[in-house]
Amino acid sequence: MNPTIRTLTFDCTGDPYELGLFWSELLGRPLADDDKPGDPEAVIADPAGGPTLLFVRVPESKAAKNRIHLDLQPQGRTRSQEVERALRLGATKIADHTRPDGGGWVVLADPEGNEFCVERGESD
């Protein structure tokens, strides 16, 4: 038997609840009912059974580029619309790798500096 990916963990030096709220809004998935501001961790479950997102407070700041990141494909929005929405929620744009043919991706960072990419959307 092979293992399954159960949880993707995000380290943060700030409030895990606040970082969880950013991802909750971005992904349209609620934080766990028992999560509250100031908790040492916060959780977002995937109702479809995919990996849980776990946000954990750590003492050290992020020091380098992520070695792993999430690639998001917009649903019902274009890549540009999704990027603008993420920026309004508190993301930061790192780089735009959109190609002339519409392929490519945009690299963003969440409020703690964790990188993620937004790919071409269904509507692009």
Side-chain angles (χ1 to χ4, degrees), residues 39-113:
D39 284 351
E41 62 184 46
V43 173
I44 297 175
D46 181 352
T52 295
L53 301 183
L54 173 63
F55 305 91
V56 179
R57 184 178 296 117
V58 297
E60 65 279 346
S61 296
K62 183 175 179 290
K65 182 182 182 302
N66 292 16
R67 298 293 298 198
I68 187 170
H69 65 268
L70 302 179
D71 288 341
L72 306 179
Q73 181 186 33
Q75 305 295 309
R77 287 191 266 286
T78 66
R79 175 180 36 235
S80 295
Q81 290 169 328
E82 193 65 52
V83 166
E84 288 306 314
R85 190 173 78 84
L87 293 172
R88 283 193 307 275
L89 291 172
T92 304
K93 186 186 287 187
I94 304 296
D96 189 338
H97 298 282
T98 303
R99 296 189 300 259
D101 69 357
W105 62 93
V106 176
V107 182
L108 302 173
D110 71 14
E112 282 278 336

Side-chain angles (χ1 to χ4, degrees), residues 14-19 21 34-42 55 57:
D15 187 348
Y17 181 84
E18 291 297 321
L19 186 57
L21 282 178
D34 60 349
D35 286 336
K36 58 188 180 305
D39 284 351
E41 62 184 46
F55 305 91
R57 184 178 296 117

